[in-house]
Amino acid sequence: MDAFVRILRLGGKELRSLWRDPVMLVLVLWSFSAAVYVAATAQPDTLARASLAIVDEDQSPLSLRLRAAFAPPQFAPPPLLPASAIDPTLDAGRQTFVLVIPAGFQRRLLAGRRPALQLNVDATRVGQAFTGSAYIAQIVDTEVAGFVLGVRREARPAVELALRTRFNPELSHRWFGGVMELANNVTMLAVVLAGAALIREREHGTVEHLLAMPVTPAEILLAKVVASSLVVLAATLLSLAFIVRGALGIPLAGSAALFLGGTALHLFATTSLGVLMATVARSMPQFGLLVVLVLLPLQMLSGANTPRESIPGGVREAMLLAPTTHYVELAQAVLFRGAGLDLVWRPLLASALIGAALFALALLRFSRGIGDDGRI
């Protein structure tokens, strides 16, 4: 009980120290509010209001039908351009696509010939260029076939594919992007807050004062882990309520309590990782560089940005030792698919084991770093 009281008091000291650090407070506020919202809405992977202009030299019912087919949300309403404006428009970056419908297009099509359309693409806009070209080709094929057949659909195929989209029926990127950005920021803030707290103690010379008190190294580290975890856990809860569900309107299928419980285990692992990194770095600049080197691979290879099946086999297996891999699996299973404890107990167990190993290693390095005179 005495050790528990000492940990609580040391944790209170950590919280007061964080409260007096405006830079860290702004970082926490930004990471769980604007950063989540921007990641969900700024650059969607799907085509959204792509800029397309049309050069209509045919002025036929078919060309009017094609012009009307390009509409939001995939494309912005397309303006009409003269042929002489194609190159200046693309050179100035005002349009990503320019579709040219030549004169006599409808007449040659109905005569049984195969007329060609010209699509000019600004390929410097890589994200939209490749996706948009496929969209435009599909729309043109559908509209031309519908015009020739006299209906707005293609001939009945030999096999009909019944497509049922689960968990994200609108195929909205913001559903995935917002939650995964929240998961990434949980990891980042946990590492930064815990590690920076220990580095700050060392730079200010207050670790020696703590060691002069009747507290053990384990109690010092546990206080930092608990304080940082509580801050990030509270910020996560508020972000889920006001940003993910409120501002973004993302429906969360599973239990928020189960997700927060998994987040707490993940925070135990990542705050321990932050403390471990702080025992390696000797100053705040060194710690910042180490954070970049460690966090980028953890986030990029965890499955938050790309499916783990797309990662090379050796790297994929090695990432099972990283806490982020299991946290992303937990977040997607609970928040997207409504999974219960019977389906996510493995990532929960893995997070607990990885957290225990990281904390033990951090405690070992911290204890060995204490000299015979009690100094770090």
Side-chain angles (χ1 to χ4, degrees):
M1 182 60 68
D2 291 340
F4 180 72
V5 172
R6 289 194 294 269
I7 292 172
L8 287 182
R9 289 177 177 174
L10 289 173
K13 178 188 72 67
E14 296 295 336
L15 294 177
R16 289 192 296 272
S17 177
L18 176 62
W19 181 255
R20 291 192 295 267
D21 191 339
V23 175
M24 284 295 182
L25 291 177
V26 170
L27 178 62
V28 172
L29 180 63
W30 167 266
S31 299
F32 289 96
S33 57
V36 175
Y37 186 86
V38 169
T41 58
Q43 293 182 336
D45 289 338
T46 55
L47 201 66
R49 295 192 63 83
S51 56
L52 167 72
I54 295 179
V55 177
D56 187 359
E57 297 178 336
D58 193 32
Q59 296 294 327
S60 63
L62 177 55
S63 67
L64 293 176
R65 178 170 179 162
L66 288 174
R67 285 158 50 182
F70 297 99
Q74 285 82 17
F75 295 92
L80 290 177
L81 293 179
S84 59
I86 295 177
D87 288 341
T89 298
L90 292 175
D91 292 342
R94 290 191 293 268
Q95 300 290 338
T96 304
F97 307 97
V98 178
L99 179 65
V100 180
I101 306 175
F105 175 71
Q106 175 180 310
R107 174 175 49 82
R108 291 195 295 270
L109 180 69
L110 295 179
R113 301 168 61 184
R114 294 178 62 85
L117 297 178
Q118 183 185 78
L119 179 63
N120 300 274
V121 182
D122 180 1
T124 60
R125 302 179 177 182
V126 178
Q128 288 190 338
F130 293 100
T131 305
S133 298
Y135 270 79
I136 293 171
Q138 182 180 8
I139 290 173
V140 169
D141 288 343
T142 301
E143 295 300 325
V144 169
F147 179 80
V148 173
L149 294 174
V151 293
R152 186 173 282 273
R153 60 181 176 84
E154 297 182 355
R156 185 177 182 84
V159 176
E160 182 177 357
L161 178 65
L163 180 63
R164 294 178 173 86
T165 306
R166 300 189 63 184
F167 313 125
N168 186 0
E170 298 179 2
L171 297 178
S172 173
H173 174 269
R174 66 166 55 192
W175 289 23
F176 181 83
V179 173
M180 289 301 97
E181 179 69 12
L182 176 62
N184 285 336
N185 288 346
V186 166
T187 301
M188 179 191 70
L189 264 296
V191 170
V192 170
L193 290 181
L198 183 57
I199 294 288
R200 188 167 50 241
E201 296 272 16
R202 179 187 298 150
E203 291 183 339
H204 293 172
T206 54
V207 175
E208 289 80 4
H209 298 166
L210 291 176
L211 294 174
M213 300 172 62
V215 293
T216 64
E219 293 169 356
I220 295 175
L221 296 191
L222 277 174
K224 298 185 183 303
V225 167
V226 170
S228 301
S229 299
L230 287 177
V231 171
V232 178
L233 193 63
T236 302
L237 178 60
L238 294 176
S239 184
L240 279 177
F242 295 106
I243 304 300
V244 176
R245 278 181 170 171
L248 294 173
I250 301 174
L252 303 179
S255 167
L258 179 58
F259 172 70
L260 291 176
T263 301
L265 285 177
H266 176 67
L267 287 172
F268 173 57
T270 48
T271 50
S272 299
L273 176 61
V275 172
L276 176 61
M277 292 164 58
T279 63
V280 175
R282 307 308 300 175
S283 65
M284 194 66 78
Q286 287 185 8
F287 177 71
L289 292 175
L290 193 58
V291 166
V292 174
L293 292 175
V294 172
L295 279 187
L296 282 179
L298 286 182
Q299 294 181 351
M300 293 176 63
L301 301 174
S302 64
N305 299 318
T306 185
R308 295 193 69 246
E309 293 77 10
S310 303
I311 301 173
V315 178
R316 182 171 63 246
E317 298 303 323
M319 284 301 295
L320 292 175
L321 300 176
T324 50
T325 300
H326 306 284
Y327 184 57
V328 168
E329 179 185 352
L330 170 79
Q332 292 179 355
V334 174
L335 298 182
F336 292 151
R337 299 188 289 272
L341 184 60
D342 57 324
L343 296 178
V344 298
W345 66 269
R346 288 183 178 87
L348 290 175
L349 178 60
S351 296
L353 294 177
I354 293 172
L358 289 173
F359 182 81
L361 186 58
L363 179 59
L364 178 63
R365 284 194 55 85
F366 182 71
S367 300
R368 286 184 175 179
I370 302 174
D372 296 335
D373 57 354
R375 298 179 60 85
I376 299 298

